Amino acid sequence: MTEGEPLFRLDWVLQHLDMLWQRIGEHILVTVIAVAAGFVISFGLALAVRRYPFIYGPILAISGILYAIPSIALFVLFIPITGLSLLTAEIALVSYTLVILVRNMVTGLRGVPPEVIEAARGMGYTDRQRLWRVELPIAMPIIVAGLRIATVTTIGLVTIATLIGMGGLGYLIVNIGVQRRFPTATITGVVIVVLLSTAVDLGLQLLQRRLTPWARAHEA
Amino acid sequence: MTSSAAVVTLDHVSKRYGPAGTPPAVSDLSLTIPAGEIVVLVGPSGCGKTTTMKMINRLIEPTTGRITIDGEDVMRLPAVELRRRIGYVIQQVGLFPHLTVAENVAVVPRLLRWPETRVRDRVEELLDLVRLDPATYRDRYPSALSGGERQRVGVARALAADPPLMLMDEPFGAVDPILRDRLQNEFLRLQAQVRKTIVFVTHDVDEAIKMADRIAILQRGGILAQYDTPDAILAEPASEFVSRFVGADRGLKRLSLGRVRDLALTSPTTARVGEARADVRRRLDEAGAEYALLLDESDKPIGWIERRDLSGDDGVTPDDATPGSPTLQPESTLRDALSAMLGSSVQLGVVVDEAERVLGVVSVDAISEVLRAPAATVR
């Protein structure tokens, strides 16, 4: 910290609103790409597990190992291949979402009561109709719960992506705040990350309630 | 309601889960299930009753043999198309928790792409049929229903597309005995209206006797032990196995199939309150009877008067009668009638109509006569 520099300068924040919005925008974009890609890949894997249950063990093992690799290491590992690019950041971010999303999707699909599946078969749903109209809606609360955790985790991790030049709120926290010893930027960045995580978490929770009114009746 | 019923035939059907050589779950089973009847498949666990039922809608496919519905081989149709034409009810009901009652009932009509207005009308009609007020229940989710209500919705859902055939796998197995009895009665009343062909699986002999027009008793390995009306099975079990399976009290069970109205009633010697005792004595002498039935002014029975209590010349008073003689309704089962009569001092049952007026009396002898008669082939 520079001598005489106060911990927090509101005037700086107010003067740099445009830049803050830009960083927030970058942050959200990187997050959305990661979560969306992770969701699509996980969904494919979960459907594969639904059909071939024996592949679940290996999938969990691999995604678990990916999850255990520190994010910086993963970035560094891919820089020689994909450079300091968005792709490098996304490869790391997506691989972290897999373990959470796949596990919740499979748990959700496996949680559909067997008598419900038997009734659906006996009434003449095709396999695809049963998946989309019965199993996925019933698994929805658990799938969205996984999506919430994955999204909040990713919002946090995107902060680190600034190290490979991805900007976002990490730029405020690390590049401006830490490297230039300007605590106002760090505090502002951290507060925005926390607010963003909370807002997104709350939004997804509301979305889930809206989508699954029957689950609320069950809680009551 | 318009509806048709299907004839189902099983022609030398076998199912083997393992490779050739392993013992089959169902062995060379041939059955004809007549249109509009309730046929109950019953037997101990491992007898293949559920396997047999599921082969009809191809949830399980037979290893050999042929199953037809109205002459059409079930293997000729795509499985989902076949299943949409067959009602299906299971023990755990399996309502879709994310759909309302109305949406649950509408599942098969929507799979069949009925126009929305027709679906809505049909849902209302069915909820009425199973005695659930549409306005109250239409928009509820299954989690807000009681066990009995869920089961009713399950039946309505199975009937939705007016299938000529329903398969029911222990449909009342998961509810308490009192509720089960009520649901059984409701279902029988419903069936009297809709007249579907119904294949009903249970392990409970009493339920089979109560529900069935015909019972198929299966023994381990899916071997058909006997296929006949409940009365015929109880009167003449075809084998030691059937006899043991239906139980040592099969005579009593047979009585539960008969009703008091099926018996010839006899007219008792009667007396009225206030009548001279001498007159009653004279009538008893003429009839050669020991007891007279005392009636009040509106022909309601008060109780039996024994001859030796009729000395003197006063009028008969209600205190002269021994109260507690059982009264029976024409709808009472013979089993209930016998039980009531055995518990009373005069072993005669007084049969009364809805206004409690005496229609006649039945004796224990008349009931045991029924058991000696040969079985009726059709109930």
Side-chain angles (χ1 to χ4, degrees):
Chain A
M1 200 186 299
T2 327
E3 196 89 12
E5 175 68 27
L7 203 58
F8 187 72
R9 280 174 44 197
L10 187 61
D11 59 325
W12 182 86
V13 173
L14 295 175
Q15 280 159 18
H16 294 81
L17 281 180
D18 283 351
M19 184 271 284
L20 291 179
W21 279 118
Q22 188 203 329
R23 295 299 177 204
I24 291 171
E26 288 165 5
H27 203 100
I28 290 175
L29 185 69
V30 176
T31 304
V32 165
I33 292 171
V35 173
F39 193 87
V40 169
I41 295 169
S42 300
F43 189 64
L45 291 173
L47 291 190
V49 171
R50 176 176 177 264
R51 175 150 293 187
Y52 310 105
F54 61 91
I55 64 173
Y56 188 40
I59 288 177
L60 271 190
I62 294 167
S63 57
I65 290 168
L66 285 176
Y67 194 68
I69 301 174
S71 47
I72 296 187
L74 209 52
F75 288 144
V76 171
L77 218 60
F78 274 95
I79 288 173
I81 308 164
T82 50
L84 283 175
S85 67
L86 181 65
L87 187 60
T88 307
E90 295 294 359
I91 286 172
L93 294 170
V94 166
S95 54
Y96 289 127
T97 65
L98 296 184
V99 73
I100 301 164
L101 291 172
V102 170
R103 195 188 290 259
N104 275 263
M105 284 174 185
V106 172
T107 306
L109 288 174
R110 288 189 175 174
V112 178
E115 69 269 17
V116 168
I117 292 184
E118 199 198 327
R121 290 186 65 210
M123 295 173 73
Y125 277 103
T126 63
D127 187 68
R128 180 177 296 197
Q129 286 169 331
R130 194 178 84 222
L131 172 70
W132 287 96
R133 300 197 201 169
V134 178
E135 295 179 33
L136 285 172
I138 293 173
M140 181 83 78
I142 297 178
I143 293 175
V144 177
L147 187 63
R148 282 167 60 193
I149 301 172
T151 309
V152 170
T153 308
T154 304
I155 290 174
L157 282 173
V158 169
T159 323
I160 298 167
T162 189
L163 296 180
I164 56 168
M166 281 308 105
L169 293 161
Y171 188 82
L172 275 185
I173 296 169
V174 180
N175 299 51
I176 304 179
V178 177
Q179 288 171 7
R180 298 192 208 157
R181 303 180 176 222
F182 181 54
T184 300
T186 303
I187 290 169
T188 307
V190 169
V191 167
I192 294 175
V193 165
V194 170
L195 288 178
L196 194 62
S197 298
T198 314
V200 167
D201 192 38
L202 220 63
L204 285 173
Q205 194 179 348
L206 288 176
L207 178 75
Q208 186 240 303
R209 293 239 175 132
R210 183 63 66 83
L211 288 177
T212 59
W214 52 275
R216 222 172 336 161
H218 193 70
E219 284 161 25
Chain B
M1 192 159 79
T2 60
S3 67
S4 53
V7 179
V8 180
T9 62
L10 281 73
D11 189 16
H12 299 286
V13 171
S14 296
K15 175 66 190 181
R16 201 183 300 276
Y17 286 106
T22 50
V26 175
S27 315
D28 196 32
L29 185 63
S30 293
L31 273 185
T32 297
I33 297 168
E37 288 200 4
I38 301 182
V39 168
V40 177
L41 306 177
V42 67
S45 56
C47 73
K49 52 190 189 292
T50 300
T51 300
T52 301
M53 192 200 74
K54 288 184 175 174
M55 285 192 289
I56 298 174
N57 69 353
R58 284 178 58 190
L59 286 175
I60 295 172
E61 301 204 333
T63 311
T64 58
R66 212 168 85 103
I67 297 174
T68 65
I69 299 176
D70 278 340
E72 196 173 7
D73 190 332
V74 297
M75 298 307 288
R76 290 264 173 90
L77 282 170
V80 294
E81 222 166 280
L82 174 78
R83 291 173 193 153
R84 290 171 190 176
R85 294 199 212 160
I86 302 176
Y88 191 52
V89 181
I90 56 177
Q91 181 177 1
Q92 303 299 334
V93 193
L95 292 184
F96 301 128
H98 60 301
L99 301 182
T100 63
V101 166
E103 289 166 339
N104 265 285
V105 175
V107 162
V108 178
R110 286 193 174 135
L111 284 172
L112 294 171
R113 300 177 190 284
W114 287 18
E116 231 6 68
T117 50
R118 184 171 167 212
V119 173
R120 252 198 311 276
D121 293 348
R122 182 66 179 154
V123 167
E124 304 281 298
E125 184 185 351
L126 281 161
L127 290 179
D128 279 332
L129 190 69
V130 298
R131 304 204 168 174
L132 293 172
D133 174 35
T136 312
Y137 287 95
R138 196 192 292 127
D139 298 323
R140 287 203 187 165
Y141 286 103
S143 57
L145 301 179
S146 72
E149 290 163 347
R150 279 178 208 182
Q151 195 52 256
R152 287 191 192 100
V153 175
V155 170
R157 181 173 70 171
L159 283 168
D162 205 18
L165 169 66
M166 293 241 283
L167 307 180
M168 306 179 79
D169 190 2
E170 307 223 10
F172 310 126
V175 294
D176 67 73
I178 295 169
L179 182 58
R180 183 181 313 144
D181 195 55
R182 211 168 70 209
L183 290 171
Q184 287 168 344
N185 293 339
E186 275 179 24
F187 185 74
L188 286 173
R189 206 190 45 238
L190 191 82
Q191 164 66 357
Q193 279 177 264
V194 299
R195 288 271 154 220
K196 302 292 182 188
T197 304
I198 288 161
V199 180
F200 189 112
V201 165
T202 182
H203 62 268
D204 178 354
V205 166
D206 292 306
E207 183 169 61
I209 293 165
K210 179 171 180 181
M211 304 303 287
D213 293 308
R214 276 164 220 270
I215 298 178
I217 298 186
L218 299 176
Q219 62 192 68
R220 210 172 167 73
I223 296 159
L224 185 63
Q226 190 167 6
Y227 182 45
D228 213 326
T229 62
D231 195 46
I233 284 174
L234 292 169
E236 290 156 45
S239 66
E240 174 70 22
F241 168 79
V242 174
S243 163
R244 263 187 294 120
F245 187 73
V246 297
D249 61 341
R250 64 187 162 87
L252 283 177
K253 283 177 172 147
R254 221 184 137 199
L255 285 183
S256 65
L257 294 171
R259 306 277 161 172
V260 168
R261 63 167 174 262
D262 304 334
L263 298 175
L265 304 182
T266 55
S267 304
T269 303
T270 56
R272 280 182 190 282
V273 172
E275 197 179 1
R277 287 165 182 242
D279 291 344
V280 180
R281 281 205 302 275
R282 189 170 37 76
R283 278 211 301 282
L284 281 173
D285 288 342
E286 281 167 12
E290 282 300 306
Y291 293 92
L293 183 63
L294 182 61
L295 308 177
D296 69 8
E297 318 74 62
S298 54
D299 280 355
K300 289 184 187 165
I302 296 170
W304 293 97
I305 307 178
E306 203 176 347
R307 194 177 198 292
R308 61 162 186 256
D309 295 331
L310 284 169
S311 52
D313 277 317
D314 307 340
V316 178
T317 68
D319 293 341
D320 294 328
T322 315
S325 168
T327 57
L328 308 168
Q329 285 74 44
E331 311 69 68
S332 305
T333 66
L334 294 183
R335 184 178 187 157
D336 291 347
L338 182 66
S339 166
M341 285 152 70
L342 291 176
S344 76
S345 53
V346 182
Q347 297 200 336
L348 289 170
V350 180
V351 183
V352 297
D353 65 12
E354 279 154 26
E356 289 183 57
R357 283 189 306 261
V358 174
L359 295 170
V361 297
V362 294
S363 64
V364 172
D365 283 348
I367 291 180
S368 59
E369 194 69 36
V370 171
L371 289 184
R372 284 193 294 274
T377 43
V378 176
R379 213 174 123 200

